[in-house]
């Protein structure tokens, strides 16, 4: 393109070209660059929001994993503890306990009368958080006759069967007519779940009068 010889005309044409170029640049900025910048800004804000949501999700996931580990640990402790807890049969603990005692006494050579129920007792004290213990004790009383070796054999069997039971009362009286055999009376307490007591028969047999002290519940450590 040849510019006119007239200086003023050349200046006008150059000014028009410059204005046209600026208009094109402005149009490109408005129609292309500015939308791209706005889109980039929105994408960046969305990315930051997604990143924050991801970090929140990861934080919650770590919390869930921690809670799950704690739950699993407590579950393991409860499962291990449940092995030592007396379980009700047909709504009462006495049936299962009586069956075990008959087996042990037969193996020990000790003659035992049917057990009588003492009932439930609270575990003394409270947990660290101030709540009540999850366990209670369930007691039963047995009477019978036999010698010291047979009684020791029975006690060893009871200890081997459940390390958390407690012989809370023991009375031995000699019989002049049968020196080698003694009248024996003892009370045993087993740990049980406190809530399970609600579904069992809570009408214990009346306790016979005795000079022996009344048995008290023995603390048993429960699950946290």
């Amino acid at each position: 393109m040849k510019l006119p010889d007239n200086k003023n005309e050349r200046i006008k044409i150059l000014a028009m070209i410059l204005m046209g170029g600026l208009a094109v640049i402005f149009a490109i900025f408005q129609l292309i660059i500015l939308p791209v910048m706005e889109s980039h800004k929105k994408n960046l804000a969305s990315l930051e929001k997604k990143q924050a949501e991801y970090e929140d999700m990861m934080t919650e996931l770590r919390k869930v994993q921690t809670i799950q580990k704690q739950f699993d640990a407590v579950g393991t402790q409860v499962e291990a503890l449940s092995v030592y807890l007396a379980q009700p049969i047909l709504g009462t603990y006495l049936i299962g306990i009586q069956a075990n005692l008959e087996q042990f006494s037969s193996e020990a050579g000790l003659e035992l009368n049917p057990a009588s129920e003492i009932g439930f007792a609270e575990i003394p004290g409270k947990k660290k958080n101030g709540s009540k213990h999850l366990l209670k004790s369930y007691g039963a009383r047995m009477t019978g006759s036999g010698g010291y070796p047979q009684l020791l054999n029975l006690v060893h069997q009871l200890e081997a069967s459940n390390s958390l039971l407690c012989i809370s009362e023991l009375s031995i009286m000699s019989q002049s007519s049968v020196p080698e055999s003694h009248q024996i009376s003892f009370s045993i307490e087993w740990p049980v779940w406190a809530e399970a007591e609600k579904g069992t028969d809570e009408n214990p047999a009346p306790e016979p009068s005795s000079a022996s002290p009344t048995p008290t519940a023995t603390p048993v450590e429960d699950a946290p």
Side-chain angles (χ1 to χ4, degrees), residues 163-185:
S163 59
L164 295 185
L165 67 76
C166 172
I167 299 178
S168 55
E169 179 187 15
L170 175 61
S171 174
I172 302 175
M173 298 181 63
S174 62
Q175 301 182 100
S176 57
S177 58
V178 191
E180 69 279 6
S181 180
H182 310 285
Q183 287 290 339
I184 300 169
S185 173

Side-chain angles (χ1 to χ4, degrees), residues 96-170:
I97 289 173
Q98 180 66 49
N100 289 333
L101 289 172
E102 288 178 356
Q103 177 185 347
F104 294 154
S105 62
S106 176
E107 294 174 359
L110 195 68
E111 295 182 5
L112 286 183
N113 300 318
S116 60
E117 187 178 46
I118 295 175
F120 299 92
E122 296 281 352
I123 302 298
K126 293 185 177 181
K127 297 170 64 176
K128 293 181 179 180
N129 60 5
S131 62
K132 292 184 178 180
H133 289 288
L134 299 177
L135 302 179
K136 286 188 176 183
S137 70
Y138 172 82
R141 177 175 289 107
M142 279 64 63
T143 60
S145 60
Y148 284 116
Q150 291 77 23
L151 177 60
L152 288 175
N153 192 345
L154 176 62
V155 170
H156 290 158
Q157 290 188 68
L158 289 171
E159 291 177 341
S161 68
N162 190 334
S163 59
L164 295 185
L165 67 76
C166 172
I167 299 178
S168 55
E169 179 187 15
L170 175 61

Side-chain angles (χ1 to χ4, degrees), residues 25-218:
I25 293 173
F26 180 77
I28 292 174
F29 179 79
Q30 287 289 333
L31 299 177
I32 299 176
I33 297 178
L34 188 60
V36 169
M37 292 178 63
E38 290 293 331
S39 176
H40 174 73
K41 183 177 180 181
K42 291 180 179 178
N43 290 338
L44 184 61
S46 177
L47 180 62
E48 291 176 349
K49 180 179 179 181
K50 295 296 183 183
Q51 182 67 28
E53 292 176 352
Y54 172 77
E55 292 177 356
D56 291 340
M57 291 173 60
M58 291 303 296
T59 300
E60 293 299 321
L61 178 61
R62 286 190 289 269
K63 290 180 180 179
V64 169
Q65 291 174 338
T66 300
I67 293 173
Q68 183 64 47
K69 289 180 180 179
Q70 295 174 346
F71 178 82
D72 292 341
V74 172
T76 300
Q77 294 177 13
V78 170
E79 183 177 357
L81 179 62
S82 295
V83 176
Y84 301 100
L85 302 184
Q87 302 297 332
I89 298 177
L90 300 177
T92 178
Y93 291 92
L94 198 57
I95 294 177
I97 289 173
Q98 180 66 49
N100 289 333
L101 289 172
E102 288 178 356
Q103 177 185 347
F104 294 154
S105 62
S106 176
E107 294 174 359
L110 195 68
E111 295 182 5
L112 286 183
N113 300 318
S116 60
E117 187 178 46
I118 295 175
F120 299 92
E122 296 281 352
I123 302 298
K126 293 185 177 181
K127 297 170 64 176
K128 293 181 179 180
N129 60 5
S131 62
K132 292 184 178 180
H133 289 288
L134 299 177
L135 302 179
K136 286 188 176 183
S137 70
Y138 172 82
R141 177 175 289 107
M142 279 64 63
T143 60
S145 60
Y148 284 116
Q150 291 77 23
L151 177 60
L152 288 175
N153 192 345
L154 176 62
V155 170
H156 290 158
Q157 290 188 68
L158 289 171
E159 291 177 341
S161 68
N162 190 334
S163 59
L164 295 185
L165 67 76
C166 172
I167 299 178
S168 55
E169 179 187 15
L170 175 61
S171 174
I172 302 175
M173 298 181 63
S174 62
Q175 301 182 100
S176 57
S177 58
V178 191
E180 69 279 6
S181 180
H182 310 285
Q183 287 290 339
I184 300 169
S185 173
F186 58 98
S187 300
I188 307 178
E189 296 180 20
W190 288 263
V192 297
W193 290 118
E195 290 299 319
E197 177 194 347
K198 296 178 180 179
T200 61
D201 183 4
E202 297 188 27
N203 296 315
E207 300 182 14
S209 58
S210 171
S212 301
T214 301
T216 57
T218 303

Side-chain angles (χ1 to χ4, degrees), residues 14-26:
L14 291 174
M16 292 176 63
I17 292 173
L18 179 62
M19 292 177 64
L22 291 174
V24 171
I25 293 173
F26 180 77

